[in-house]
Amino acid sequence: MATLRFDRHRRLRQTANLRAMVRETHLHVDDLIYPIFVVEEKGVKREVPSMPGIYQFSLDRLNEEMDEVVQLGIKSVIVFGVPAEKDEVGSQAYCEHGIVQQAIRQIKANYPDIIVIADTCLCEYTSHGHCGVIENEQVLNDPSLELLVKTAVSQAQAGADIIAPSNMMDGFVAAIRQGLDEAGFTHVPIMSYAIKYASAFYGPFRDAADSTPQFGDRKTYQMDPANRLEAFREAESDVREGADFLMVKPSLAYLDIIRDMKNHFHLPLVAYNVSGEYSMVKAAAQNGWINEKEIVMEMLTGMKRAGADLIITYFAKDVARWLNE
């Protein structure tokens, strides 16, 4: 052994403090964006059956959730709405008194320092559950853009700090940027769901947002999970059209795409740790099969290591507690 030469990598792993000293990737509370679901009812705090620990809130109970968010040091929320009425064109998405618009106003009035991100889509508001205008069971791109612009402008008027369009229509960033600018909201950034895959990981979200398509699927406008180069084309278009953030959704099965985007583009990069990723961990933890805290922290650190600057995650409150400990 005296003549055997090899590297001593373990020298830097001997104690917890030494490992912390040389740790390369850090997860912070400031990295977290917490999704909130708001419904047009009264007295409601309703747990989503497929998402343990996640609730739908009516406006009169929304402050209960926001108080906890602020207490934990989380600085940003993304708001999803479940309207009482739906129609073919999702008119409640762009109604001045729509549920998301009311929630935004309430949050900004009571918690002015919180960054409020508005999810900008039609699927929660349309009777057919698709993200645009339908004709002969086909989603029409350009007519859908007109409604998405109206939605984005109404959300900005309500006080949204960031518009986050999730519809995956071609040209949605260009259309929304122009619409916001013409309405006087040149200062409002766009967080584009630039790379959104047609994923099986979205199931529990559709329970929470009541947005399951009533026919077909979303594969004609969301990306094929098998594709990598397509993600570059989508992101390049959004950057050219005026996006201020890029998002990859889902994240756990797409860490390679997150790294690709981080290496190629220089905008803040968001990973969406989606509902299916959340629910799988929660279910396994409830069955005693895994250590939830260790699994979640490893997953989210992996997303940061892959290149994410921000993470939208239903675990945000849990992670904030663990980090504060």
Side-chain angles (χ1 to χ4, degrees), residues 30-31 33 117 162 189-195 235 238-239 242-248 258 261-272 304 307-312:
D30 290 352
D31 303 330
I33 300 170
I117 304 168
I162 299 172
I190 295 174
M191 179 182 287
S192 172
Y193 285 65
I195 300 107
D238 287 4
V239 171
D244 300 283
F245 301 79
L246 296 176
M247 188 189 302
V248 176
I258 294 173
M261 296 303 104
K262 186 65 173 180
N263 288 344
H264 196 77
F265 300 100
H266 303 292
L267 296 180
L269 184 61
V270 185
Y272 199 141
K304 285 289 300 289
D309 299 296
L310 300 166
I311 303 173
I312 300 174

Side-chain angles (χ1 to χ4, degrees), residues 279-292:
S279 296
M280 289 191 304
V281 172
K282 283 291 185 182
Q286 287 181 349
N287 278 288
W289 297 337
I290 60 171
N291 181 310
E292 180 179 348

Side-chain angles (χ1 to χ4, degrees), residues 20-216:
M21 179 184 290
V22 298
R23 187 163 295 140
E24 301 171 26
T25 304
H26 296 271
L27 186 64
H28 303 285
V29 174
D30 290 352
D31 303 330
L32 307 174
I33 300 170
Y34 184 54
I36 290 181
F37 298 95
V38 188
V39 298
E40 279 190 298
E41 301 176 56
K42 290 187 181 296
V44 171
K45 179 183 177 181
R46 181 189 301 124
E47 189 171 30
V48 179
S50 56
M51 299 180 70
I54 299 299
Y55 296 82
Q56 296 174 329
F57 288 90
S58 53
L59 291 174
D60 58 343
R61 298 197 63 179
L62 178 58
N63 286 7
E64 297 173 29
E65 182 79 330
M66 289 304 305
D67 285 345
E68 186 175 14
V69 166
V70 170
Q71 182 182 13
L72 290 169
I74 297 168
K75 296 180 173 61
S76 179
V77 296
I78 182 167
V79 181
F80 299 90
V82 183
E85 298 180 2
K86 304 188 180 196
D87 56 35
E88 286 291 305
V89 293
S91 58
Q92 287 300 304
Y94 44 87
C95 175
E96 180 182 355
H97 301 293
I99 183 61
V100 162
Q101 287 79 359
Q102 292 183 66
I104 293 169
R105 291 189 184 98
Q106 180 172 322
I107 294 171
K108 292 305 293 185
N110 291 284
Y111 312 92
D113 293 333
I114 286 284
I115 298 296
V116 178
I117 304 168
D119 179 78
T120 306
C121 198
L122 301 175
C123 61
E124 296 120 284
Y125 308 91
T126 55
S127 53
H128 46 73
H130 280 283
C131 303
V133 176
I134 298 293
E135 185 176 289
N136 298 322
E137 296 197 351
Q138 298 294 318
V139 181
L140 303 182
N141 195 91
D142 295 7
S144 299
L145 293 180
E146 297 177 18
L147 300 185
L148 291 165
V149 170
K150 292 174 65 174
T151 301
V153 170
S154 73
Q155 292 169 338
Q157 289 170 337
D161 297 292
I162 299 172
I163 298 299
S166 59
N167 53 88
M168 288 298 285
M169 296 296 110
D170 290 336
F172 70 92
V173 173
I176 289 172
R177 182 72 272 159
Q178 179 177 310
L180 289 172
D181 291 352
E182 290 177 352
F185 295 104
T186 57
H187 62 286
V188 174
I190 295 174
M191 179 182 287
S192 172
Y193 285 65
I195 300 107
K196 184 177 180 181
Y197 286 92
S199 172
F201 283 100
Y202 301 150
F205 173 90
R206 291 170 184 170
D207 289 342
D210 189 23
S211 61
T212 302
Q214 298 304 298
F215 64 88

Side-chain angles (χ1 to χ4, degrees), residues 274-306:
V274 300
S275 60
E277 299 167 349
Y278 172 88
S279 296
M280 289 191 304
V281 172
K282 283 291 185 182
Q286 287 181 349
N287 278 288
W289 297 337
I290 60 171
N291 181 310
E292 180 179 348
K293 176 181 176 181
E294 292 183 359
I295 289 285
V296 172
M297 296 300 284
E298 184 175 339
M299 282 198 323
L300 269 59
T301 300
M303 295 168 199
K304 285 289 300 289
R305 189 184 65 245

